[in-house]
Amino acid sequence: MPFRSLSRFATFKVHYINLAREVVQQAIDNLSEHAKITSLDIDRGFADGIFLWWLNTKDITFLIPAKSNMNVYKDALFCIGTGNLDKRDKIRTVGAG
């Protein structure tokens, strides 16, 4: 199967979440039997229930960094049980972090 590139252009008014599923599906198709996407680190802007559910149906684990003032952060702390909790204590003095 030949590599298929995505030729999509959109105006700045189109939110990138609208193209996310298409891009991931293209990556799945391009990898074909050569490899499998098992996890995806994504930005908070992709925290869309429909997209995340679709990733789950494709057996793709997703990781979204959460800020400590977000409800999902508190939910994750509640669900962590005996897991490992890592928190960055170092305060950055340069850049946005």
Side-chain angles (χ1 to χ4, degrees):
M1 180 175 165
F3 176 79
R4 193 186 104 209
S5 65
L6 183 65
S7 298
R8 296 279 297 170
F9 295 95
T11 65
F12 67 93
K13 294 178 183 177
V14 176
H15 198 272
Y16 52 82
I17 190 66
N18 297 338
L19 303 175
R21 180 175 173 172
E22 186 176 344
V23 170
V24 174
Q25 184 62 56
Q26 177 193 335
I28 292 169
D29 295 343
N30 286 344
L31 290 171
S32 186
E33 71 277 350
H34 302 290
K36 181 180 178 184
I37 298 174
T38 58
S39 65
L40 195 61
D41 293 350
I42 55 180
D43 187 75
R44 285 183 293 273
F46 291 95
D48 174 74
I50 296 170
F51 177 61
L52 297 178
W53 180 256
W54 179 79
L55 288 175
N56 186 57
T57 64
K58 297 290 184 179
D59 293 325
I60 299 175
T61 302
F62 54 87
L63 171 93
I64 305 172
K67 292 185 176 183
S68 59
N69 64 348
M70 297 174 73
N71 288 335
V72 70
Y73 179 83
K74 295 172 188 126
D75 289 345
L77 288 178
F78 179 77
C79 294
I80 199 165
T82 59
N84 296 325
L85 172 63
D86 291 328
K87 186 174 180 182
R88 183 175 72 183
D89 293 324
K90 183 178 178 182
I91 298 173
R92 291 188 52 125
T93 58
V94 178

